[in-house]
């Protein structure tokens, strides 16, 4: 582990403006070696909480503007939160400019940016995944569906903000999904190629590993709830809540995932000439029949809202850990986590993941945070109105996060804090953590 007395001081820029970035800023704020934290564009909650100085007018899609900002303010580490700037090559340009960056190059980000690329890597390096085929022609896609039968899974190939996956329980639903992607173009260019894969039965699990190009180390386990409705029903969202640790990921399973999925991916990417630096977030299915993990998809950044529960449990100096990863020095690092559990419950605008009203006023956020010292509220989509009230600007708006000695205690504190928040236009799931709590 690092001796903090000897650790260099560093100024960090966090790129993004959601709940995940707020959690990263908050963890960096607790890092003894972190001198200052900027967040671009950030949001009102990040700014008000004092977790970072928000630079709302820095255009994060303009790589040269980001580089100039880093040079002007002596930024010694850039942490890229969302996937879009990564796929657009922000990390490539920063690294070329000599600025240490935690996040993959655009070539390596294709693991998330193209599901087809990810599937081909699995084929080549023997990584267990669902059986699949890729199509651009709707009639060929439908013929394959007919042959395979339902249930079956249809995915848009490109980035679709976590919503480009349809689990079709009937052939009709499957044909409709193909038409919406390939004929109607619902997901734009992300859906001009589709992957059709077998439906795996079992329990889903999220798995996170830090990667420095050659080495990888697992983070603590975390599990999210994708569906909008209670008992995991209704349409998929970006995530309505999460908890850590996740009982489904035992230590045996963790080492199996590292050996059969994470290490072969890291080595494969290195062999392909696009070393991966950043967080590998593997969406897994622990198959019912075999009990073995299969890779469903990769994301190339911290999950949101899983990042929130991981960051409140992390006790290591995050700035030094991410700096080590950006330099290929992860083998010098060990991570320290707080015992017990953490939970985040997302408050979203009514109507999400469909259309929703923006600009509704949210009251008592600060008061809710005072329910217990273990409660922290991360802002995902807030701004301030003329009277300095928080207003909702997005679908997912707040992440009410709490730690506890066990999951039940973390849950009770999170829901106690939610009771204090006055936001009639918001909603949340009341059963976050149900799979872990019923065991």
């Amino acid at each position: 582990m690092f001796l903090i007395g000897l650790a260099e001081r560093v100024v960090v820029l966090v790129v993004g403006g959601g709940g995940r970035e707020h959690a990263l800023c908050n963890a960096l704020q607790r890092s003894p070696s972190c001198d200052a934290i900027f967040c671009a564009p950030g949001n009102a909650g990040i700014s008000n909480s004092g977790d970072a100085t928000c630079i709302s007018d820095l255009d994060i899609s303009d790589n040269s503007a980001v580089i100039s900002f880093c040079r002007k303010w002596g930024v010694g580490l850039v942490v890229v939160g969302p996937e879009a700037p990564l796929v657009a090559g922000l990390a490539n340009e920063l690294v070329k400019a000599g600025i240490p960056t935690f996040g993959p190059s655009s070539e390596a980000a294709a693991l998330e940016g193209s599901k087809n690329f990810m599937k081909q890597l699995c084929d080549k390096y023997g990584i267990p995944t669902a059986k699949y085929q890729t199509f651009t022609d709707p009639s060929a896609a439908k013929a394959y569906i007919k042959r395979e039968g339902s249930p079956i899974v249809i995915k848009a190939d490109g980035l679709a903000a976590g919503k480009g996956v349809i689990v079709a329980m009937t052939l009709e639903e499957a044909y409709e999904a193909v038409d919406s992607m390939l004929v109607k173009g619902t997901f734009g260019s992300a859906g001009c190629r589709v992957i059709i894969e077998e439906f795996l039965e079992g329990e889903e699990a999220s798995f996170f590993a830090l990667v420095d190009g050659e080495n990888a180390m697992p983070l603590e386990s975390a599990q999210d709830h994708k569906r909008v409705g209670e008992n995991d029903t209704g349409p998929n969202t970006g995530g309505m809540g999460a908890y850590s640790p996740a009982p489904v990921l035992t230590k045996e399973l963790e080492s199996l995932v590292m050996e059969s999925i994470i290490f072969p991916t890291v080595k494969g990417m290195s062999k392909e000439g696009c070393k991966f630096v950043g967080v590998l977030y593997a969406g897994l299915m622990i198959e019912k029949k075999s009990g073995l993990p299969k890779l469903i998809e990769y994301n190339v950044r911290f999950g949101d809202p899983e990042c929130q529960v991981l960051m409140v449990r992390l006790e290591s100096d995050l700035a030094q850990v991410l700096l080590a990863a950006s330099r290929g020095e992860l083998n010098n690092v060990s991570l320290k986590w707080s015992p017990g559990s953490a939970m985040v419950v997302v408050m979203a605008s009514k109507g999400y993941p469909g259309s929703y009203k923006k600009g509704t006023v949210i009251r008592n956020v600060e008061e809710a945070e005072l329910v217990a010292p273990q409660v922290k509220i991360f802002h995902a989509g807030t701004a301030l109105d003329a009277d300095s009230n928080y207003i909702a600007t997005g679908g997912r708006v707040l992440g009410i996060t709490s730690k506890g000695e066990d999951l039940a205690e973390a849950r009770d504190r999170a829901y106690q804090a939610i009771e204090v928040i006055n936001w009639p236009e918001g909603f949340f799931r009341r059963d976050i953590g149900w799979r872990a709590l019923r065991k």
Side-chain angles (χ1 to χ4, degrees):
M1 195 53 210
F2 295 98
L3 294 170
I4 293 305
L6 305 176
E8 63 201 281
R9 315 284 301 167
V10 65
V11 173
V12 184
L13 168 65
V14 175
V15 173
R20 159 184 51 212
E21 288 76 31
H22 191 177
L24 289 167
C25 289
N26 178 253
L28 288 162
Q29 185 65 37
R30 301 193 309 269
S31 296
S33 69
C34 203
D35 258 352
I37 304 140
F38 295 107
C39 186
N43 65 43
I46 298 174
S47 190
N48 274 11
S49 64
D51 287 323
T53 303
C54 292
I55 314 295
S56 55
D57 56 356
L58 179 58
D59 179 359
I60 60 171
S61 63
D62 179 348
N63 295 347
S64 59
V66 175
I67 289 167
S68 310
F69 178 87
C70 291
R71 288 195 168 135
K72 181 178 174 186
W73 293 98
V75 170
L77 173 67
V78 178
V79 180
V80 187
E83 62 273 31
L86 293 168
V87 173
L90 176 59
N92 304 50
E93 297 297 320
L94 286 163
V95 169
K96 212 187 294 174
I99 298 162
T101 302
F102 183 77
S105 66
S106 57
E107 295 79 11
L111 272 177
E112 175 170 2
S114 167
K115 295 188 175 65
N116 192 45
F117 173 85
M118 184 276 279
K119 287 290 200 180
Q120 286 174 339
L121 189 88
C122 289
D123 282 353
K124 190 165 174 183
Y125 295 98
I127 297 161
T129 185
K131 188 176 96 174
Y132 77 103
Q133 274 199 26
T134 307
F135 298 92
T136 50
D137 169 33
S139 49
K142 288 177 189 174
Y144 179 77
I145 290 167
K146 194 172 180 184
R147 203 163 64 243
E148 293 296 318
S150 62
I152 197 160
V153 181
I154 294 92
K155 297 180 175 180
D157 180 43
L159 290 178
K163 299 184 191 77
V165 177
I166 309 285
V167 178
M169 300 315 283
T170 63
L171 291 178
E172 284 62 43
E173 279 178 43
Y175 298 152
E176 210 175 289
V178 166
D179 282 340
S180 86
M181 291 179 198
L182 291 179
V183 182
K184 297 183 192 132
T186 306
F187 295 107
S189 63
C192 59
R193 180 161 56 177
V194 298
I195 282 94
I196 298 176
E197 64 179 33
E198 70 173 316
F199 173 77
L200 297 174
E201 219 179 326
E203 188 164 357
E204 282 188 53
S206 306
F207 191 93
F208 297 89
L210 291 182
V211 183
D212 69 1
E214 298 290 344
N215 311 296
M217 65 189 304
L219 294 175
E220 262 294 316
S221 64
Q223 185 58 47
D224 75 338
H225 291 266
K226 282 273 182 280
R227 302 295 186 101
V228 73
E230 257 124 70
N231 297 320
D232 296 329
T233 55
N236 268 340
T237 67
M240 292 301 293
Y243 52 93
S244 171
V248 63
L249 272 164
T250 59
K251 282 292 164 211
E252 297 77 48
L253 203 51
E254 179 184 284
S255 54
L256 191 58
V257 172
M258 289 301 287
E259 292 306 322
S260 66
I261 296 175
I262 303 294
F263 289 136
T265 300
V266 174
K267 291 187 174 72
M269 291 295 279
S270 183
K271 277 190 189 141
E272 296 296 313
C274 47
K275 283 186 180 184
F276 187 94
V277 174
V279 178
L280 263 185
Y281 162 11
L284 306 173
M285 180 65 81
I286 314 303
E287 228 188 339
K288 210 183 204 169
K289 325 193 263 264
S290 63
L292 296 175
K294 279 190 172 178
L295 178 66
I296 299 174
E297 62 176 6
Y298 267 132
N299 295 307
V300 297
R301 29 77 202 187
F302 283 103
D304 186 342
E306 297 97 328
C307 183
Q308 287 81 314
V309 286
L310 291 173
M311 289 304 116
V312 296
R313 288 193 60 213
L314 181 70
E315 292 185 345
S316 305
D317 184 320
L318 181 64
Q320 290 302 313
V321 170
L322 301 186
L323 210 46
S326 74
R327 292 174 172 161
E329 295 169 0
L330 262 188
N331 47 2
N332 302 333
V333 172
S334 60
L335 295 175
K336 188 169 188 299
W337 302 91
S338 69
S341 298
M343 181 181 285
V344 58
V345 180
V346 169
M347 290 189 84
S349 299
K350 278 181 183 163
Y352 175 79
S355 57
Y356 50 85
K357 207 162 121 192
K358 287 188 177 177
T360 57
V361 175
I362 310 164
R363 299 185 197 279
N364 302 346
V365 177
E366 277 96 350
E367 290 79 348
E369 228 171 11
L370 300 175
V371 161
Q374 297 84 351
V375 171
K376 175 74 188 169
I377 296 178
F378 294 118
H379 290 244
T382 61
L384 293 175
D385 68 8
D387 303 318
S388 295
N389 295 310
Y390 282 119
I391 54 170
T393 57
R396 294 189 297 161
V397 178
L398 296 171
I400 289 73
T401 311
S402 177
K403 289 198 289 186
E405 280 186 21
D406 56 24
L407 196 53
E409 186 177 65
R411 175 197 57 191
D412 293 346
R413 281 189 184 136
Y415 284 110
Q416 265 169 0
I418 285 178
E419 290 306 311
V420 176
I421 293 171
N422 175 3
W423 182 31
E425 293 82 6
F427 79 97
F428 57 93
R429 277 184 54 172
R430 293 172 188 276
D431 66 342
I432 300 304
W434 68 273
R435 282 175 194 276
L437 288 158
R438 69 178 178 186
K439 287 178 180 167

